[in-house]
């Protein structure tokens, strides 16, 4: 059969198939622009060569080469006919093919851009929603992805069927690969078979909405971020202002206040307003974010409804498409939520900073107006801290301990603490100065009873809160722990507890006591809602007076309060108080050290006696350099 | 009175047919019947008509007697003969070029003697052009036969004669 010589092959390949190759190496668009006479010549040559082929070569070639060659002839002619057809030329060659054949080749030639695009490029260009996106959409909507089915049409010549497969299969593969890669990366593209325009429109609308929302918020956040650069300056000024307040405080304690409250007030207002400005900016974005969230929820609801309908109608394709869009909406929503959370946190921290300025000035004003400042020396504070932590530790070691987690309505019985379940933390570290010590006990349970990772269930923690800086600088402190300090401390723990879903019980002790606003706040019903999550339970301890305050609505803390409550020997305190009062009767003042030496009692008890007398308005505490704490008789 | 039924396979073809009918509309009193037109082959029509009359007004129905007619229209034919003192290969190529210039499409060809049959469409209609080549010593004699209906034959004859005369044909 195959008795072709080398010369024969050469003639076959170069001469007989020559014009066919010329046509096939070109594309429809190029052919269309080629002169009609030139195309007529090509057609006639192909026609002539096809005769030569059938006569001289066909029966000398192997079956598949023969088929292959015939299909090339047919296909080249179809391309020429399609070119004439597109140009609306009145030529007999268009009559050689059916409308179907012409339409099909015209359509597939339109997808020829995919021959030169890599998969990545296709993915990228679909993503950018450009030309390719439209073509791919058309490709699927027109159901061109299923070449086999299309070629099943008896109206398509056999040789052409072969050619279509030969020439377009690779192209289709390219498109499909690109689409698959796109789907892998970004989720389904929205045109699967038989997708209705209606569904498509819905999705398209939602996609656009998502895009705009994401862009708008991005821009807004960038705007605000730019504005926030000037926040640094405000922060510096605030620090300076606080230092100034501290100086005035010191002067006040030393008994020589000489400052214009009004100027401090106006400076505070100015800084406050700056913070407020930033808070307002954030509040605006937050509001915008919330609005967008609501809009998204509306689209979500509409799509959800559509999804349910398709589900009922068993229209899986549509259902899947809608689900994919729903997923994307969900993602954007959670992104917005994260954004909103961090904005909220930022806003919260600004509020705290502003609050702190208010608090500080408020206390200072009160002090200057004659409200007694409770003076606590660093040695005293250190003593309180040690007592507080030691007492707490002792109680926590009184086994067996019954620890109740109302979170799970479960009581854990603890018989010992291992190394991992007890931790101590210290800040600072100067001698005879408080260190904001914390002692933490962790009740945990193994995930699977006897094995598995340990899951935290309850954390009980004693925290000593002091103004370390003041103690270090001046050796004493008189400023009560403020609301902002309290909230700052809280914010450090709430997130962790919420994520870990364990109950975090805290007793926080301040030697200078607590600002009324903290006390008022923690006692209020709103407190539980506003600041404290269900994972956090708190009581506040005044180390000096021994008072413990907690939210009466918090029924969890009452079981833990005893772990934190300071204890004083009432009788001994009363005895010391008697000594002080007697001394005060003789002289105008009593020095702490004298009483401490004379009474031979614990310092803590002596301190307590001094503060009790001050509280009972029996005198006024002052701190005198080189002498220390002194109680002066009240000047009448 | 005659009924003409012309089929078409594309929109441009329909337009061309309509153009022809339109052209003859006045002189041959051509009208396009309105309504549903059906050819009935059976002879006994009474029941059908009764049925039709019962569904629509009687004056809506027109009835004609029809018979198939074949009007013999002769295809016109014209010929060009010339001799070229060129090599046969050259002449084959030249013929190919001239025909392509007329946008003639090769329909079939035979060898020995070489005959190529082309199809051409012009504004005046469609024609078939057959080109036969015969080598006679140093010269090649060429016979170009044009067949078609109407003016197209003369039109093509004029064009082709002109083209071939440039080749130095006699």
């Amino acid at each position: 059969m195959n008795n072709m010589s080398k010369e024969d092959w050469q003639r076959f390949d170069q001469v007989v198939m020559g014009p066919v190759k010329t046509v096939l190496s070109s594309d429809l668009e190029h052919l269309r622009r080629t002169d009609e006479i030139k195309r007529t010549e090509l057609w006639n040559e192909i026609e002539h060569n096809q005769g030569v082929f059938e006569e001289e070569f066909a029966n000398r070639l192997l079956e598949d080469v023969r088929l292959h060659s015939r299909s090339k002839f047919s296909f080249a002619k179809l391309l020429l006919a399609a070119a004439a057809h597109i140009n609306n030329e009145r030529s007999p060659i268009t009559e050689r093919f059916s409308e179907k054949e012409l339409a099909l080749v015209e359509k597939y030639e339109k997808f020829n851009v995919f021959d030169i695009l890599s998969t990545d490029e296709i993915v990228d260009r679909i993503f950018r929603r450009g030309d390719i996106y439209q073509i791919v959409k058309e490709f699927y909507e027109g159901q061109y992805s299923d070449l086999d089915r299309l070629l099943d049409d008896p109206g398509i010549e056999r040789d052409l069927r072969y050619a279509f497969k030969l020439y377009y299969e690779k192209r289709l593969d390219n498109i499909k690969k690109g689409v698959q890669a796109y789907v892998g990366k970004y989720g389904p593209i929205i045109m699967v078979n038989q997708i209705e325009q209606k569904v498509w429109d819905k999705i398209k609308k939602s996609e656009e909405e998502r895009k705009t929302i994401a862009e708008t918020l991005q821009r807004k956040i960038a705007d605000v971020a730019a504005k926030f650069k000037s926040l640094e300056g405000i922060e510096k000024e605030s620090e300076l202002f606080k230092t100034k307040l501290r100086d005035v405080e010191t002067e006040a304690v030393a008994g020589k206040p000489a400052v214009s409250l009004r100027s401090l007030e106006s400076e505070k207002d100015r800084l406050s307003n700056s913070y407020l400005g930033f808070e307002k900016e954030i509040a605006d974005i937050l509001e915008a974010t919330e609005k967008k969230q609501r809009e998204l929820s509306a689209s979500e609801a509409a799509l959800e409804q559509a999804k349910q309908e398709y589900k009922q109608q068993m229209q899986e394709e549509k259902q899947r498409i809608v689900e994919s869009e729903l997923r994307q909406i969900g993602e954007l929503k959670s992104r917005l939520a994260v954004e909103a959370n961090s904005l909220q946190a930022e806003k919260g921290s600004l509020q705290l900073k502003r609050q702190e300025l208010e608090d500080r000035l408020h206390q200072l004003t009160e002090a200057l107006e004659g409200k007694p400042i409770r003076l606590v020396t660093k040695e005293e504070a250190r003593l309180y801290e040690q007592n507080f932590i030691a007492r707490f530790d002792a109680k926590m070691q009184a086994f067996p301990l019954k620890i109740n987690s109302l979170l799970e309505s479960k009581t854990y019985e603890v018989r010992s603490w291992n190394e991992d379940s007890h931790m101590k933390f210290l800040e600072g570290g100067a001698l005879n100065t408080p260190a904001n010590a914390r002692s933490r006990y962790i009740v945990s349970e193994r995930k699977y009873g006897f094995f598995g990772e340990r899951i935290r269930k309850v954390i009980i923690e004693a925290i000593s809160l002091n103004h370390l800086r003041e103690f270090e600088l001046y050796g004493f402190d008189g400023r009560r722990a403020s609301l902002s300090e309290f909230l700052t401390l809280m914010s450090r723990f709430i997130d962790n507890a919420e994520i870990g879903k364990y109950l975090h019980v805290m007793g926080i002790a301040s030697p200078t006591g607590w600002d009324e606003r903290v006390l008022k706040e923690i006692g209020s019903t709103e407190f539980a809602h506003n600041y404290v999550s269900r994972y956090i339970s708190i009581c506040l301890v005044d180390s000096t007076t021994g008072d413990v305050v907690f939210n009466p609505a918090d029924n969890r803390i009452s079981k833990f309060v005893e772990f934190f409550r300071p204890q004083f020997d009432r009788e001994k305190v009363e005895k010391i108080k008697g000594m002080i009062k007697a001394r005060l009767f003789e002289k105008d003042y009593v020095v702490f050290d004298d009483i401490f030496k004379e009474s031979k009692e614990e310092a803590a008890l002596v301190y307590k006696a001094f503060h009790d007398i001050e509280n009972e308005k029996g005198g006024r505490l002052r701190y005198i350099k080189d002498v220390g704490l002194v109680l002066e008789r009240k000047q009448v | 009175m005659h009924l003409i039924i012309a089929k078409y396979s594309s929109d441009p073809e329909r337009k061309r047919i309509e153009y022809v009918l339109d052209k003859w509309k006045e002189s041959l009193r051509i009208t396009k019947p309105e309504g549903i037109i059906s050819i009935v082959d059976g002879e006994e029509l009474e029941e059908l008509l009764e049925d039709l009359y019962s569904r629509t007004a009687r004056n809506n129905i027109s009835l004609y007697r029809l018979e198939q007619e074949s009007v013999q229209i002769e295809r016109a034919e014209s010929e060009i003969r010339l001799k070229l003192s060129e090599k046969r290969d050259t002449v084959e190529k030249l013929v190919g070029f001239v025909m392509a210039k007329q946008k003639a499409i090769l329909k079939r060809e035979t060898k020995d003697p070489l005959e190529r049959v082309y199809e051409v469409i012009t504004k005046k209609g469609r024609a078939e052009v057959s080109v036969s080549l015969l080598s006679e010593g140093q010269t090649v004699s060429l016979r170009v036969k044009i067949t078609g209906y109407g003016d197209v034959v003369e039109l093509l004859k004029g064009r082709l004669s002109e083209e071939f005369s440039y080749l130095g044909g006699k």
Side-chain angles (χ1 to χ4, degrees), chain B residues 133-149:
Chain B
L133 251 77
L134 202 68
S135 303
E136 289 171 348
Q138 294 299 305
T139 61
V140 179
S141 70
L142 206 62
R143 192 191 65 167
V144 182
K145 199 169 85 183
I146 306 151
T147 37
Y149 296 99

Side-chain angles (χ1 to χ4, degrees), chain A residues 489-584:
Chain A
L489 189 66
M490 279 306 92
S491 62
R492 267 163 54 190
F493 296 112
I494 292 177
D495 286 349
N496 283 338
E498 282 193 346
I499 292 164
K501 301 211 185 314
Y502 51 82
L503 175 66
H504 197 154
V505 182
M506 280 176 266
I508 312 171
S510 162
T512 46
W514 297 90
D515 195 78
E516 295 101 33
R517 288 151 81 167
V518 187
L519 299 176
K520 212 175 113 196
E521 195 70 40
I522 199 166
S524 73
T525 39
E526 294 87 48
F527 179 78
H529 303 296
N530 292 352
Y531 298 108
V532 176
S533 75
R534 63 196 198 97
Y535 298 104
I536 298 257
S537 190
I538 307 158
C539 66
L540 301 181
V541 179
D542 186 325
S543 306
T544 311
T545 62
D547 294 341
V548 178
V549 184
F550 54 89
N551 189 296
D554 184 353
N555 54 359
R556 298 164 301 181
I557 194 69
S558 55
K559 297 202 164 42
F560 294 100
V561 165
E562 286 315 311
F563 290 119
F564 304 111
R565 194 189 291 282
Q567 280 166 337
F568 296 104
D569 188 325
R570 279 281 121 205
E571 277 180 29
K572 283 183 181 168
V573 173
E574 286 306 318
K575 202 184 91 194
I576 302 163
K577 274 167 77 178
M579 280 176 74
I580 301 167
K581 281 177 181 166
R583 187 68 54 91
L584 210 55

Side-chain angles (χ1 to χ4, degrees), chain A residues 12 16-17 19-20 24 45-47 49-51 53-54 68-78 97:
Chain A
F12 169 68
V16 177
M17 298 308 284
V20 169
L24 294 184
E45 278 173 37
I46 291 172
E47 185 72 41
N49 289 2
Q50 198 169 3
F53 169 79
E54 289 298 339
H68 195 94
S69 306
R70 276 190 189 135
S71 75
K72 278 186 172 178
F73 278 114
S74 292
F75 195 57
K77 284 158 89 176
L78 176 59
F97 297 96

Side-chain angles (χ1 to χ4, degrees), chain A residues 36-41 43-45 47-49 51-52 55-56 88 90-93 95-96 99, chain B residues 9-10 12 16 96-97 99-101 103-107 109 111 116 118-122 126:
Chain A
E36 196 185 346
I37 294 170
K38 175 73 198 153
R39 273 186 279 118
T40 308
E41 262 189 299
W43 174 282
N44 288 349
E45 278 173 37
E47 185 72 41
H48 168 78
N49 289 2
V52 174
E55 201 170 302
E56 294 179 34
N88 272 326
R90 178 91 214 279
S91 168
I93 65 174
E95 294 162 14
R96 301 284 191 279
E99 283 288 327
Chain B
S9 62
S10 70
R16 285 194 289 271
F97 176 70
M99 294 314 285
K101 223 175 145 190
K103 290 159 196 167
I105 297 302
L106 182 64
K107 270 173 87 178
E109 68 185 311
K111 279 184 182 174
R116 287 182 184 163
Y118 293 88
E119 188 177 2
V120 194
I121 295 178
T122 70
R126 191 187 290 254

